[in-house]
Amino acid sequence: MSEPSTGGRPATATPQDADGDAARLGDLGYRQELRRSLGVLGNIAMGFAVVSPVVALYAVSMVGTTIAGPAWVWALPVVLVGQCLVVNVYSELASQWPLAGGPYQWGRRLLGPSFGWMSGWVWQFAVMFGNTTVSYLAAPWVFALLGITPTPAAMVAVAAAILLGCTAVNAFGIRILSLFVSLGIAAEAVASVLVGFSLLLFFRRHGFSLFTETLGAERLSGGSTVMAFLAVLAVAGWGFIGFDACVSTAEETKDAGRQVPRAMWWALLSVGTVVILNAMAVALAHPDPAAVVAGGDLDPVTTAVVTSFGSWSDKPFVLVVLVGFLACAMASQGGAARGVYSLARDGVFPLSRHVRRVNRRQAPIGGLVASTAVSCCGLLLGLNATAIGSLIAFGTAATFLPFFLVSLAALIARLRGTWVPSGHIRLGRKGTLLNVLAVLWTGFEVANVCWPRAILAPPGAPWYQVWAGLLGIGAVVSAGLLYLLVRRPQEKLRALDPQSVRPPADRPAEPAPGLS
């Protein structure tokens, strides 16, 4: 969790910094094609928007409370600590190799072309399926704003329209995207920080002892509070993913080797703090938590806000939350497009010649089209029945698998001695211990999220919703293995870099004070 020393360099970017960024990218085998215009605050904003306290809390609060009652909030700090372990690993890697498509680029350098390609393939689909989940979760807020009760098919149609709208914004380039993301962060500040503090300070209806209560929610897990808490850990995992969006825009960030790791920490910790605050505030201000547990209130956040502030706040609050969701969807889709671009420019993604295209605004337009098409296909999961819980499990499972693969690759390379961190962040022996813990945490969460649970699907839901996490991962991994066997992209990568797995050529200097 240590920050790198600035070494006395100025915080503001200079023309020399820009030249250095381009030269560093050239050393890693690529030329500058995307517009490098983001500072550290812009990079933090991308990560903040994708992790998003609005999306994190308002997507899972109802599901979490239904499964484990008000005590579900204790899952949030557990997941946050686990994700901090992952960020430690990502920080060392992003510091040394600040490239778009992080898991792909890091995996091929740590364990070779085959593993790297597979890590990139899995991560890429994880982000695209994450976009599916965000757009689907945003759709109900559109209907709430219009006062319409949606059908499952209408939810899918609106979610698809959201994805297409986000594609249009992203096509105008990183500057326009960052403006929309900034608007979303302003909405987050109102919907999360301001509302959360107000509920906690002025509209609290219950004592803090409420967080020791399950209110009988464990009956859905066969009466076991342990099984209920495991299910909540699976759901809460959705609340703390997306910080890797900072890595996705590394090639558009000035002084990326220093600033991207810093941005990941700011994004994760700031969102984590706000999510935990708001989860507690909503529960304490809700007039009837037992109704949420019983399934009688499907939107506990809005209920807590409207009953506290008055009926006038209903539509304005819905609008602010919707803006936050849309900003998250735009930033997430931008990250997905850059990941596809990273694979396609090496010629190792289907239809690479088309997918790698960059438009005149220096936006990865080919990646945008490809990622949007895949994300829209994922929406079919909710075509015949509401699929909020299933899509959360689906998106979370797909995202934690790349976290596990990256952490595992880093650990194996450390133990082999083929990777010694040589970026601005070098954690030394402590890094190895944190890496082991990250592997254990992400491995546990992958298995936990993939475990089929009927309680995450609506009553009478089709079987594929119950098995959504495992089916999604199985389909992605199977397709990736088939592509490896048939198209053999690893051979092309070996030709590009015949010494993919090797100790760093430039041995690291002594770490800065406090980093070892």
Side-chain angles (χ1 to χ4, degrees), residues 239-443:
F240 301 108
I241 58 178
F243 55 82
D244 49 343
C246 300
V247 178
S248 297
T249 52
E251 293 179 30
E252 293 153 285
T253 301
K254 301 168 186 174
D255 195 14
R258 294 179 184 271
Q259 304 302 356
V260 169
R262 182 176 290 126
M264 284 192 289
W265 277 115
W266 274 103
L268 179 64
L269 293 179
S270 59
V271 170
T273 301
V274 173
V275 167
I276 293 171
L277 165 73
N278 277 23
M280 297 177 66
V282 166
L284 294 175
H286 196 282
D288 189 5
V292 184
V293 173
D297 183 358
L298 301 181
D299 187 4
V301 179
T302 302
T303 299
V305 170
V306 172
T307 56
S308 298
F309 291 95
S311 59
W312 66 270
S313 62
D314 184 10
K315 296 299 183 184
F317 179 72
V318 169
L319 178 61
V320 169
V321 171
L322 179 58
V323 171
F325 265 94
L326 293 178
C328 175
M330 290 175 193
S332 181
Q333 194 171 39
R338 284 151 179 83
V340 172
Y341 161 81
S342 182
L343 285 158
R345 68 180 168 184
D346 286 342
V348 293
F349 193 82
L351 303 175
S352 290
R353 185 168 62 88
H354 303 286
V355 174
R356 75 168 313 277
R357 288 182 178 175
V358 175
N359 67 12
R360 62 186 180 85
R361 297 180 182 273
Q362 292 180 277
I365 188 65
L368 284 169
V369 173
S371 61
T372 300
V374 174
S375 298
C376 286
C377 290
L379 288 172
L380 298 176
L381 189 65
L383 195 58
N384 295 320
T386 56
I388 291 177
S390 298
L391 276 173
I392 289 174
F394 183 43
T396 307
T399 304
F400 268 91
L401 182 57
F403 288 159
F404 171 72
L405 293 176
V406 169
S407 299
L408 181 63
L411 180 60
I412 292 173
R414 281 183 202 270
L415 297 179
R416 285 179 175 175
T418 54
W419 177 53
V420 178
S422 60
H424 298 294
I425 295 181
R426 302 185 293 277
L427 300 178
R429 294 177 183 175
K430 181 175 68 175
T432 302
L433 174 60
L434 293 171
N435 202 155
V436 170
L437 295 176
V439 170
L440 294 175
W441 159 249
T442 53

Side-chain angles (χ1 to χ4, degrees), residues 200-233:
L200 194 61
L201 295 176
F202 305 115
F203 300 104
R204 187 157 55 90
R205 298 169 183 263
H206 311 283
F208 286 94
S209 61
L210 180 68
F211 298 125
T212 64
E213 300 288 339
T214 62
L215 303 180
E218 68 274 11
R219 69 183 184 279
L220 295 176
S221 302
S224 171
T225 55
V226 172
M227 296 304 294
F229 191 71
L230 287 175
V232 172
L233 283 177

Side-chain angles (χ1 to χ4, degrees), residues 97 109-110 417-420 497-505 507:
W97 297 303
R109 287 165 170 81
L110 292 170
T418 54
W419 177 53
V420 178
D497 185 8
Q499 294 180 321
S500 295
V501 182
R502 62 185 186 275
R507 301 306 296 180

Side-chain angles (χ1 to χ4, degrees), residues 23-195:
R24 176 59 175 152
L25 190 59
D27 290 341
L28 294 172
Y30 301 102
R31 62 187 177 89
Q32 188 74 51
E33 291 186 296
L34 305 178
R35 186 188 300 274
R36 195 177 290 271
S37 60
L38 291 179
V40 64
L41 293 179
N43 192 271
I44 291 172
M46 292 296 293
F48 188 96
V50 176
V51 186
S52 179
V54 163
V55 175
L57 177 65
Y58 301 162
V60 303
S61 60
M62 181 273 291
V63 179
T65 306
T66 303
I67 293 172
W72 85 274
V73 299
W74 295 109
L76 295 173
V78 173
V79 175
L80 178 59
V81 170
Q83 292 302 86
C84 285
L85 297 171
V86 179
V87 175
N88 272 300
V89 178
Y90 270 55
S91 293
E92 287 187 297
L93 292 167
S95 175
Q96 183 168 345
W97 297 303
L99 294 165
Y104 158 64
Q105 298 288 358
W106 303 336
R108 60 185 278 212
R109 287 165 170 81
L110 292 170
L111 292 186
S114 297
F115 187 92
W117 185 87
M118 194 66 187
S119 294
W121 176 268
V122 172
W123 174 75
Q124 189 52 57
F125 278 88
V127 178
M128 292 188 287
F129 290 149
N131 298 345
T132 300
T133 306
V134 172
S135 63
Y136 188 83
L137 295 175
W141 297 95
V142 174
F143 290 104
L145 188 65
L146 300 175
I148 299 173
T149 301
T151 63
M155 287 269 287
V156 168
V158 170
I162 289 171
L163 286 171
L164 293 174
C166 292
T167 301
V169 171
N170 270 279
F172 282 93
I174 193 66
R175 288 184 176 176
I176 299 299
L177 174 60
S178 64
L179 289 175
F180 276 89
V181 167
S182 298
L183 177 62
I185 290 177
E188 300 265 13
V190 174
S192 297
V193 181
L194 181 60
V195 170

